[in-house]
Amino acid sequence: MTRNKFSLVATGFLAASLFLGSVAPAAAYDEPSASELVSSLSQTNDCCASIAEFSFQPMAIDGIVDLMIDANSPAYSFPSGKSYFAAIKLPDNVPTFSVYIKSRAKKSVFAPAALLLDANRQPVRVIPAAAARYTPAEMLDYDSLDLSFTIERSYLDNPKTEYYMVILTTPADMAGQTQMIHPAKLAAERSNTVPPDIADPIARHSPGGLINVELRSGTVESNADFLSRIGNTVNSWFGVEEAPFQQATQGVQVTGSEATAGGMSVVPVQPASGGDLQRSPTPGMQTPVARPAAVDMLPETEAFYNQLITTKVDDGDIDAAMRLVEEAERAGSKTARSAFVDAVKSLK
Amino acid sequence: MTQIKALSAAVSAVLLSASAMAVDFHGYARAGMSTTDDGGEQTCYGSGGAGHLAGRLADECDTYVELQFGQELYNQGGKKFRVEFMPVFTSENDFQGNSAQWNSTYNNPANSDNDGEVNAWRGGDWSMRQAYAAAEGVVGFAPEATLWAGKRFYQRKDIHIMDWYYLNNSGYGVGLENIELGAGKLSVAWINMDQHVSDGTVDYSNDIVQNNKLDVRYSGIQLWEGASLEVAAIYGWADLTETQDDAGYDDEDGYFLTAEITHGLMGGFNKIVVQYAADSMGDSAYDNHGGESTLSTPWWGGSKESSFRIIDWGVVNLGEKIELGYSFMYAAAETFDDTLAEDEPTRMSVVFRPMYKWDDVMKTTLEVGYTEEDDVSSGDSNDLSKIVVAQEWSAGPSFWSRPSIRLYAGAFFGDQAEARDDDGNLRIGAQMEAWW
């Protein structure tokens, strides 16, 4: 190549890269300050008199939304404590689908819990933040705390079918933190070299953060391939890869019919034997099987269940209260039954 | 209802077996095109084997692809079995595949053995660089430890921006890794290395002497808040056959010691490494891939009888938008032959790679490097410096995010560049680097 031609090519090359470079750099994510949100939350009044009065944002099946939970979000004093929240109206008239909540972790992270309500906006189910799993950053996916669960729609006449979802956190969860994985360690792992022996970054739990919610047809199990896109499993060929780090276990879920301990494989677990079969929320799966391994329930989740149970008993809805007891016990509660008994006794 | 139950059981069985059968596909790859001010392909001062003492960016003339297939075969009751395989392809960027497909009878002058194959498809080599099995929870006294055997990359340590492996005792071996012992973790391995003996006191050309290496590492010794120490000792010795012994082959032994302090620094880390090597392993603290070779007899008089090296390198955040990779290295050695023009050569290298992150995808990367080393034959000291700027597009915001597609422009300067008539010669190119 002659000098002139080369200079021309080289200049064009650099100009092209600068031009490519100047095209709309994406806005960086400015996460809300956790400590500022703690103080603003304490000064914020409840948005509404009851959960039923929340303003629910509708979402369609296969929809994806980013929700910023910050000082502009509504707050409410839930039985589990005060929290900013996002309220979503789940789609009607669609078959069973799954919910994926990804909460972005940077210096802080919103530890997401989900409260599911029936058509009358009464609580049916709580998925505690303890069920959320950390997924390390991979390529363009950020570090995140992920929650995934199935919304059962096989029996639409079931009065406990879930139509509303509230994404919240609890004061106890806000006091926690999530240990992430340093990107240099993951890179070393992939390069077959020894990861540097350094402390991993910590995301303190915050009253707010950026939440990505996706609704997808089918159950969490049937969407396992989809999960592999979300997580760090893009490189699996013939199935769903186990995440390389134990903390990164995906798709752990706690549902009415299924309760798995963190880190266990996602095995559909059926209702415990000896219980009242008529009360099983999924009549198709009534055969007695072994109970799942005990799950350590967070004290605030336990308190939340107990509060719900007491409220149901006070309302005279013993059946609902009993189901909550069963569900709480499946999820690891040790005090739900005594809370129920106490509530019944105090009815006199 | 029974049918539904059976169906759901079948579905979950399929899902679970899919999970157990999943093959993890990981890998590494680099390839690219280039041209220079003078015309033609760029010349490169380093390679995967020799490292890049002035930094690797714009200095890689090869295609290199590692394909890694791993599978966890069993994981129940605390017992895990896993296999890993890694076929690797490498070639220089000449006469391969697509560059000469249009003429299938074209003879590649680089091929000495013209055996009538379609030469356009030549130009590279494959090697099974890893093939090993690892088992956890199988050793009674240390259920946390991993027992392994086969051929593997063994606990390698590298400076990425130089492609410099300052500790790389890889090959065929057996070992027990990560035994919890006291404050840290102990790993022990025995690894083979074959040497073609073609020089030394007795010249039995092309005979092979096997050498053994015993590798002991102790990691995770906490020093101060956020800092830890790892020590590694490798002892190598010749494993002569009786015939070789009777014929009077050399049977040099030697050792290679490493101490490494790692500490967190500015959102990243810094490592301080001190190494010493002697006798059969005398090259190890001087050259790339230290710990790989133990020589029953030196290659030649310029092989190192002893060497010492100090390294400081790391990757840190200089702000939300800027990450910096850097390395400093100084090595000194003594050659076996003390009549050489320079029998106490030294080698130093400094490389900086700051990176400005425009967004999650695009980065502007600068790499500047300087190196100087003594030529043992001539006694001259030759330097080389480099400055390169690259615009990179990569999947993710981190210094470590890959794949990356980069366009670069830069030049080399100094004695080594002059020797190749490349001093200040502008080079431009495009390269991809990936790991996944």
Side-chain angles (χ1 to χ4, degrees):
Chain A
M1 210 183 289
T2 65
R3 296 259 150 174
N4 281 343
K5 264 191 197 161
F6 182 84
S7 312
L8 210 65
V9 170
T11 313
F13 209 61
L14 287 175
S17 50
L18 287 174
F19 172 74
L20 285 167
S22 63
V23 177
Y29 165 57
D30 293 319
E31 64 182 352
S33 149
S35 48
E36 281 173 26
L37 283 181
V38 168
S39 65
S40 73
L41 178 64
S42 67
Q43 291 155 18
T44 303
N45 295 322
D46 280 10
C47 68
C48 319
S50 74
I51 293 172
E53 288 171 29
F54 288 1
S55 156
F56 291 88
Q57 170 187 345
M59 261 190 91
I61 192 71
D62 295 330
I64 306 179
V65 289
D66 281 330
L67 301 168
M68 183 63 127
I69 297 183
D70 59 14
N72 299 318
S73 302
Y76 183 76
S77 297
F78 294 92
S80 54
K82 197 172 181 183
S83 172
Y84 288 118
F85 66 88
I88 289 168
K89 167 80 181 73
L90 299 172
D92 297 328
N93 305 321
V94 297
T96 296
F97 61 95
S98 27
V99 178
Y100 298 93
I101 298 172
K102 281 175 79 70
S103 177
R104 180 163 174 175
K106 205 173 168 188
K107 287 195 170 65
S108 68
V109 62
F110 178 87
L115 169 63
L116 294 154
L117 314 174
D118 64 14
N120 298 318
R121 301 182 182 184
Q122 296 304 306
V124 176
R125 182 154 70 114
V126 176
I127 294 149
R133 294 289 130 200
Y134 167 68
T135 302
E138 177 91 2
M139 305 218 174
L140 290 166
D141 288 342
Y142 304 105
D143 290 288
S144 60
L145 267 184
D146 298 351
L147 207 55
S148 60
F149 48 91
T150 304
I151 302 288
E152 178 60 49
R153 287 286 177 84
S154 303
Y155 305 92
L156 283 179
D157 54 345
N158 180 352
K160 299 305 174 193
T161 296
E162 296 146 344
Y163 287 103
Y164 297 90
M165 173 170 73
V166 180
I167 300 169
L168 68 156
T169 190
T170 67
D173 284 319
M174 287 177 218
Q177 61 183 31
T178 292
Q179 180 178 328
M180 302 189 286
I181 292 170
H182 197 285
K185 292 188 180 179
L186 206 53
E189 195 101 345
R190 294 291 154 79
S191 311
N192 287 274
T193 58
V194 180
D197 186 11
I198 49 170
D200 284 309
I202 300 285
R204 68 165 283 193
H205 289 181
S206 167
L210 186 62
I211 311 291
N212 178 275
V213 183
E214 177 159 3
L215 307 183
R216 199 173 169 88
S217 303
T219 63
V220 169
E221 290 90 340
S222 69
N223 282 330
D225 286 343
F226 162 72
L227 265 187
S228 75
R229 177 183 73 77
I230 295 186
N232 52 3
T233 52
V234 285
N235 39 29
S236 175
W237 273 19
F238 305 115
V240 182
E241 183 195 1
E242 292 287 322
F245 292 88
Q246 285 181 347
Q247 302 97 301
T249 309
Q250 300 239 356
V252 167
Q253 53 180 334
V254 179
T255 72
S257 61
E258 302 160 8
T260 61
M264 282 173 59
S265 312
V266 182
V267 183
V269 176
Q270 295 160 21
S273 59
D276 185 344
L277 293 182
Q278 271 67 50
R279 290 207 173 89
S280 168
T282 45
M285 306 177 77
Q286 291 176 351
T287 310
V289 290
R291 278 185 82 97
V295 185
D296 280 338
M297 187 177 235
L298 282 181
E300 63 273 16
T301 316
E302 198 156 7
F304 190 59
Y305 267 113
N306 293 349
Q307 182 65 45
L308 278 174
I309 290 161
T310 309
T311 311
K312 285 293 172 193
V313 172
D314 289 346
D315 293 350
D317 193 350
I318 302 297
D319 185 61
M322 198 56 221
R323 282 189 49 196
L324 280 167
V325 170
E326 289 169 357
E327 182 179 305
E329 286 183 341
R330 276 197 298 275
S333 172
K334 294 182 179 65
T335 57
R337 198 161 291 265
S338 58
F340 174 77
V341 171
D342 290 347
V344 171
K345 278 181 187 162
S346 67
L347 271 181
K348 300 169 191 170
Chain B
M1 285 310 167
T2 313
Q3 275 177 339
I4 290 175
K5 184 171 68 67
L7 184 63
S8 65
V11 166
S12 48
V14 166
L15 286 166
L16 286 170
S17 60
S19 178
M21 291 303 292
V23 173
D24 305 342
F25 174 47
H26 294 288
Y28 170 88
R30 64 171 176 262
M33 59 78 72
S34 66
T35 182
T36 76
D37 204 352
D38 272 353
E41 239 171 8
Q42 68 188 26
T43 178
C44 290
Y45 298 87
S47 67
H52 302 265
L53 287 154
R56 74 196 293 176
L57 192 58
D59 191 37
E60 293 181 303
C61 292
D62 59 343
T63 300
Y64 181 76
V65 181
E66 292 175 347
L67 302 174
Q68 184 167 8
F69 304 92
Q71 188 171 14
E72 187 167 79
L73 298 171
Y74 187 84
N75 182 354
Q76 285 290 313
K79 290 182 172 54
K80 295 183 188 175
F81 283 81
R82 189 169 178 81
V83 287
E84 295 280 351
F85 300 96
M86 182 190 270
V88 174
F89 172 86
T90 185
S91 82
E92 293 301 306
N93 289 349
D94 298 315
F95 297 112
Q96 41 171 308
N98 291 331
S99 62
Q101 260 186 137
W102 51 272
N103 185 353
S104 62
T105 58
Y106 180 77
N107 280 333
N108 177 356
N111 280 336
S112 54
D113 55 338
N114 285 316
D115 56 8
E117 283 184 41
V118 180
N119 288 294
W121 290 97
R122 292 226 181 146
D125 290 305
W126 284 91
S127 171
M128 185 66 81
R129 296 195 74 189
Q130 296 199 82
Y132 71 98
E136 224 179 288
V138 293
V139 180
F141 67 90
E144 75 286 355
T146 301
L147 176 70
W148 67 271
K151 183 185 190 185
R152 68 174 288 197
F153 291 154
Y154 181 65
Q155 296 194 15
R156 306 188 305 169
K157 289 172 179 283
D158 73 326
I159 305 165
H160 172 71
I161 56 176
M162 294 172 66
D163 204 2
W164 192 270
Y165 288 79
Y166 53 91
L167 184 52
N168 184 9
N169 182 8
S170 296
Y172 291 97
V174 60
L176 191 58
E177 277 186 290
N178 299 326
I179 307 159
E180 275 169 24
L181 184 78
K185 286 181 176 175
L186 177 73
S187 298
V188 181
W190 180 0
I191 292 169
N192 282 158
M193 179 232 156
D194 289 337
Q195 177 192 9
H196 281 272
V197 181
S198 59
D199 203 333
T201 51
V202 187
D203 184 2
Y204 298 94
S205 296
N206 293 319
D207 196 4
I208 288 175
V209 168
Q210 173 165 290
N211 296 272
N212 298 319
K213 289 173 286 181
L214 181 65
D215 185 315
V216 180
R217 303 191 192 190
Y218 191 62
S219 66
I221 308 162
Q222 292 306 308
L223 296 179
W224 64 86
E225 178 70 29
S228 73
L229 170 71
E230 175 172 349
V231 289
I234 304 173
Y235 181 75
W237 71 98
D239 186 5
L240 300 182
T241 64
E242 250 174 65
T243 313
Q244 290 171 338
D245 203 11
D246 293 344
Y249 279 44
D250 275 2
D251 62 348
E252 186 93 339
D253 58 359
Y255 59 93
F256 178 35
L257 305 173
T258 299
E260 179 186 74
I261 295 172
T262 306
H263 61 98
L265 181 69
M266 298 162 76
F269 62 89
N270 180 66
K271 289 189 176 212
I272 303 158
V273 184
V274 181
Q275 297 182 304
Y276 182 77
D279 304 325
S280 72
M281 301 195 74
D283 285 325
S284 289
Y286 197 77
D287 288 336
N288 198 7
H289 302 287
E292 200 169 49
S293 76
T294 173
L295 305 175
S296 61
T297 188
W299 297 117
W300 69 301
S303 289
K304 314 298 183 296
E305 189 165 15
S306 70
S307 56
F308 164 81
R309 178 159 67 197
I310 182 158
I311 296 169
D312 187 289
W313 75 280
V315 177
V316 296
N317 297 312
L318 296 184
E320 185 94 335
K321 291 279 184 190
I322 301 174
E323 268 186 276
L324 171 69
Y326 61 88
S327 69
F328 305 92
M329 183 169 84
Y330 176 82
E334 281 183 32
T335 59
F336 277 97
D337 181 352
D338 59 9
T339 63
L340 290 168
E342 178 56 86
D343 65 341
E344 292 186 357
T346 61
R347 164 184 272 169
M348 65 84 66
S349 152
V350 184
V351 182
F352 284 95
R353 188 193 283 193
M355 172 183 282
Y356 181 83
K357 304 184 268 190
W358 298 90
D359 56 32
D360 287 345
V361 170
M362 195 181 66
K363 303 167 179 74
T364 299
T365 302
L366 177 72
E367 190 172 276
V368 291
Y370 177 80
T371 180
E372 186 173 350
E373 67 178 282
D374 297 325
D375 183 311
V376 292
S377 304
S378 67
D380 292 341
S381 175
N382 296 313
D383 70 348
L384 178 71
S385 52
K386 179 188 80 175
I387 179 162
V388 171
V389 62
Q391 197 72 5
E392 298 194 73
W393 291 266
S394 49
S398 161
F399 184 91
W400 303 104
S401 296
R402 299 289 185 285
S404 187
I405 295 167
R406 46 176 79 121
L407 308 180
Y408 62 80
F412 283 83
F413 307 90
D415 303 331
Q416 295 177 40
E418 278 165 24
R420 298 188 189 189
D421 198 20
D422 188 39
D423 188 59
N425 192 13
L426 187 62
R427 58 178 62 204
I428 62 172
Q431 191 204 30
M432 73 88 180
E433 182 179 45
W435 57 67
W436 64 92

